Amino acid sequence: MRLVKCWFCSSTIYPGHGIQFVRNDAKIFRFCRSKCHKNFKMKRNPRKVKWTKAYRAAHGKDMTQDKTFEFEKKRNRPERYDRNVTEDTLKAIKKIDKIRSTREADHIHKRLKPNKQKTFKSEVREIDQNINLIKLPASLQQDSEKVKVLVSKNKSVQNEAMEE
């Protein structure tokens, strides 16, 4: 089963799916869906369309250079089937996927870290500007401390009647 990549968005195209366009110079363009085909016909650049992998790679949104991507490269050399090699390959694929997912998570965390600092600084600045909404003014704080209410400890006849 041969899986090919969409020329426009770089997603995988499974057999029997997608659209194939052959130019006059015999160059073959494969598209995963009509959305990609229409954007190609409108002569849009995939690096400028935000939902494509080319855009994400060009703008630092996705990891572009990592050793784990070398395993995904297409190899045209036929290999003789060997059960042990196949088992080892399947085990390696699982490990590589795990490594790639942790590295992608780290990449996203590093990408978002400067924004967290920026938002924290802006929130601190906003609190400093609007501190009067949070704290009582000094004059009101002093007044509340000065006022003391004296409560008599003697019970009156009326209070006793009310309590009953």
Side-chain angles (χ1 to χ4, degrees):
M1 182 167 78
R2 175 170 281 190
L3 302 177
V4 292
K5 297 280 183 188
C6 175
W7 185 87
F8 196 80
C9 70
S10 304
S11 63
T12 54
I13 305 171
Y14 290 90
H17 293 263
I19 303 164
Q20 190 171 358
F21 172 71
V22 182
R23 205 164 50 189
N24 286 339
D25 62 349
K27 172 98 171 86
I28 299 171
F29 298 95
R30 291 183 175 91
F31 304 103
C32 59
R33 53 188 180 259
S34 61
K35 178 181 181 180
C36 297
H37 188 219
K38 288 174 185 173
N39 278 298
F40 174 78
K41 287 193 289 187
M42 287 189 279
K43 298 184 178 180
R44 289 201 174 138
N45 187 349
R47 283 173 280 161
K48 293 183 180 178
V49 180
K50 289 192 174 188
W51 51 269
T52 62
K53 287 204 179 193
Y55 174 88
R56 294 186 64 78
H59 291 85
K61 306 284 184 190
D62 280 339
M63 285 193 318
T64 52
Q65 295 166 354
D66 193 33
K67 295 284 185 186
T68 56
F69 293 126
E70 291 180 18
F71 295 104
E72 222 177 272
K73 288 183 182 172
K74 190 168 123 181
R75 292 165 185 81
N76 289 324
R77 193 177 70 229
E79 293 286 331
R80 185 174 290 250
Y81 176 75
D82 184 13
R83 187 175 192 152
N84 296 331
V85 172
T86 307
E87 288 176 5
D88 293 341
T89 305
L90 292 174
K91 288 178 185 176
I93 287 172
K94 290 178 184 175
K95 288 181 183 177
I96 291 166
D97 284 342
K98 193 173 185 179
I99 291 168
R100 182 180 296 152
S101 64
T102 56
R103 287 183 181 174
E104 284 177 350
D106 290 342
H107 175 75
I108 291 169
H109 183 70
K110 286 178 186 173
R111 222 180 74 227
L112 297 177
K113 196 172 187 176
N115 193 27
K116 283 185 181 179
Q117 293 172 348
K118 203 181 288 184
T119 55
F120 179 74
K121 287 180 182 176
S122 66
E123 288 170 355
V124 168
R125 192 177 319 115
E126 186 176 344
I127 289 173
D128 288 341
Q129 289 173 351
N130 300 320
I131 195 71
N132 60 343
L133 299 174
I134 299 169
K135 260 190 186 175
L136 284 174
S139 61
L140 290 177
Q141 282 180 348
Q142 291 171 358
D143 292 342
S144 63
E145 291 174 6
K146 289 179 183 176
V147 176
K148 290 186 180 179
V149 179
L150 298 174
V151 179
S152 63
K153 294 182 182 178
N154 302 341
K155 289 188 176 180
S156 66
V157 178
Q158 290 178 343
N159 287 344
E160 287 178 10
M162 286 184 191
E163 288 178 1
E164 292 175 2

